[in-house]
């Protein structure tokens, strides 16, 4: 039975990845920061089947001890301060988790578990002010937020440890991926929750920022499949992961309101407070490499994803 260690197991991607690996017969261990309260809602249904160990990306010793204890075959580093607006208000903390945290776990791997295969969660936000469209593995990076800059450090330190120490270390440059487990602060979930509330008579308007921002949105479950495939390849490398289809925030809003039979223009208000200090106007993946080399394909369309999320939010609000 292969053993996988997941940082960020309580997040959206971590919870789906844990499910995915359990289905494949893995022994799954999750790293969780020790806090005064537990936030396990995304993995409550998995707790009897996964083991939790306490460690922290801010603490080198705890990571080294966790790896020494678990001795995993695969390590998936999904933990980060991952909300872009927060990275502008907490840039140093974002750097500690999202940048230096990667170095700490790679150093722990090098010291006590050098044969383990390592996956780093890189981000399309590293492309930022894009040099070309669509973006592939050779597109220059130009991050536009402290989060994007921190992710870029994490990406390059992964490449460095791969080349300097011969670690099996691969990065997935994942474009936006969403689900009913997405945090409420992200625009997709903010929209689907807002539409659900309006449809149920619990709210009268939805406030958003830049309707013209365009992204390549996919379903998180499809993307954890891509993560796993990367660590099964004979040699480690980096892959862009996305659908190759771009939609605007306005498209997102329109599809969500259409699903409940409402005209979005009657409910949506533009609020400047939701604009970023430095905007990323468009991100579009060219996933040709992962398709040809690993046979990965997204299975869920944009429309299917958004309607799934609206339905899940309606069901959640009705169950209260």
């Amino acid at each position: 039975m292969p053993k996988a260690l997941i940082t960020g197991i309580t997040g959206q991607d971590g919870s789906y990845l844990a499910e995915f690996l359990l289905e494949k017969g893995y022994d799954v261990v999750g790293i969780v920061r020790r806090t005064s309260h537990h936030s396990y809602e995304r993995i409550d249904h998995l707790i009897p089947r996964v083991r939790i160990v306490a460690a922290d990306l801010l603490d080198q010793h705890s990571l080294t001890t966790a790896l020494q204890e678990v001795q995993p075959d695969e390590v998936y580093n999904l933990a980060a301060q991952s909300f872009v607006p927060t990275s502008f208000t907490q840039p140093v903390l974002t750097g500690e988790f999202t940048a230096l945290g990667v170095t700490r776990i790679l150093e722990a791997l090098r010291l006590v578990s050098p044969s383990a295969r390592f996956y780093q969660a890189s981000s399309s936000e590293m492309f930022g002010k894009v040099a070309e469209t669509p973006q592939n593995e050779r597109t220059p990076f130009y991050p536009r937020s402290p989060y994007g800059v921190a992710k870029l450090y994490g990406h390059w330190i992964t490449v460095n440890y791969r080349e300097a120490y011969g670690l099996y270390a691969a990065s997935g440059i994942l474009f936006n991926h969403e689900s009913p487990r997405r945090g409420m602060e992200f625009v997709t979930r903010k929209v689907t929750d807002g539409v659900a509330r309006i449809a149920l008579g619990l709210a009268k308007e939805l406030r958003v920022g830049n309707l013209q921002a365009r992204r390549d949105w996919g379903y998180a479950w499809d993307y954890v499949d891509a993560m796993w495939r990367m660590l099964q390849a004979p040699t480690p490398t980096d892959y862009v992961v996305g659908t190759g289809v771009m939609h605007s925030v306005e498209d997102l809003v329109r599809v969500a309101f259409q699903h409940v039979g409402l005209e979005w223009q009657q409910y949506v208000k533009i609020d400047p407070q939701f604009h970023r200090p430095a905007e990323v106007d468009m991100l579009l993946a060219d996933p040709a490499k992962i398709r040809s080399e690993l046979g990965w394909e997204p299975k869920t369309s944009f429309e299917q994803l958004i309607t799934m999320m609206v339905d899940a939010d309606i069901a959640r609000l009705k169950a209260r």
Side-chain angles (χ1 to χ4, degrees):
M1 179 185 291
K3 185 182 293 183
L5 181 67
I6 304 172
T7 74
I9 194 171
T10 60
Q12 169 190 258
D13 291 6
S15 65
Y16 281 120
L17 179 61
E19 286 181 7
F20 182 90
L21 295 175
L22 287 168
E23 286 185 8
K24 289 194 171 292
Y26 277 67
D27 178 7
V28 177
V29 183
I31 281 182
V32 174
R33 300 177 68 203
R34 191 178 297 283
T35 61
S36 59
H37 62 89
H38 293 304
S39 179
Y40 290 177
E41 64 267 17
R42 292 186 181 97
I43 59 167
D44 271 341
H45 61 299
L46 302 177
I47 288 298
R49 302 167 62 200
V50 302
R51 181 155 62 99
I52 300 297
V53 296
D56 196 318
L57 287 184
L58 300 185
D59 179 48
Q60 179 73 61
H61 179 70
S62 69
L63 293 171
T64 304
T65 301
L67 282 163
Q68 203 160 27
E69 175 191 333
V70 175
Q71 287 296 310
D73 299 294
E74 297 173 5
V75 176
Y76 296 85
N77 183 39
L78 309 185
Q81 191 302 101
S82 59
F83 189 46
V84 172
T86 296
S87 78
F88 283 101
T89 58
Q90 298 184 33
V92 175
L93 184 66
T94 299
E96 287 287 349
F97 275 117
T98 309
L100 291 178
V102 187
T103 311
R104 294 186 187 104
I105 196 164
L106 282 166
E107 187 64 6
L109 271 170
R110 182 182 74 83
L111 292 172
V112 301
S113 196
S115 63
R117 297 190 168 198
F118 177 76
Y119 171 84
Q120 165 60 15
S122 290
S123 169
S124 60
E125 287 286 332
M126 300 187 310
F127 293 120
K129 188 176 181 180
V130 298
E132 61 185 12
T133 299
Q135 296 88 52
N136 60 37
E137 293 81 5
R138 297 172 303 280
T139 301
F141 298 119
Y142 194 143
R144 296 270 283 168
S145 66
Y147 169 76
V149 172
K151 275 293 184 185
L152 188 53
Y153 176 99
H155 178 79
W156 281 118
I157 201 68
T158 300
V159 173
N160 183 252
Y161 269 68
R162 178 170 73 217
E163 295 178 353
Y165 302 114
L167 296 184
Y168 189 112
S171 287
I173 306 173
L174 270 59
F175 281 63
N176 295 65
H177 47 287
E178 318 296 324
S179 75
R181 297 180 192 173
R182 191 52 139 160
M184 289 290 186
E185 67 272 24
F186 290 87
V187 67
T188 46
R189 189 72 191 285
K190 179 181 176 181
V191 167
T192 61
D193 175 71
V195 168
R197 290 177 183 277
I198 290 168
L200 295 174
L202 301 175
K204 295 182 179 178
E205 67 178 23
L206 172 65
R207 291 186 171 272
V208 297
N210 182 10
L211 283 176
Q212 302 314 311
R214 290 175 286 171
R215 295 291 186 271
D216 182 332
W217 276 296
Y219 179 31
W221 176 265
D222 294 340
Y223 287 46
V224 301
D225 174 25
M227 297 176 193
W228 174 78
R229 287 176 189 242
M230 287 182 215
L231 295 198
Q232 313 316 306
T235 55
T237 186
D238 308 321
Y239 291 96
V240 160
V241 182
T243 68
V245 180
M246 187 163 56
H247 293 276
S248 66
V249 175
E250 184 175 314
D251 294 335
L252 161 65
V253 167
R254 176 180 49 77
V255 170
F257 274 100
Q258 274 183 352
H259 185 57
V260 295
L262 298 174
E263 291 290 334
W264 70 267
Q265 294 93 336
Q266 297 178 23
Y267 302 95
V268 173
K269 309 292 183 188
I270 305 301
D271 192 332
Q273 72 168 306
F274 297 119
H275 285 259
R276 296 181 183 182
E279 185 59 79
V280 174
D281 297 318
M282 67 172 73
L283 293 171
L284 176 63
D286 173 6
K289 180 181 175 183
I290 193 170
R291 283 175 164 161
S292 64
E293 294 186 7
L294 303 184
W296 178 82
E297 290 279 354
K299 299 180 175 66
T300 310
S301 72
F302 175 75
E303 289 76 12
Q304 289 170 327
L305 170 64
I306 302 308
T307 56
M308 171 206 311
M309 291 174 66
V310 171
D311 288 342
D313 278 322
I314 289 173
R316 176 181 55 84
L317 290 167
K318 281 183 173 178
R320 283 185 169 182

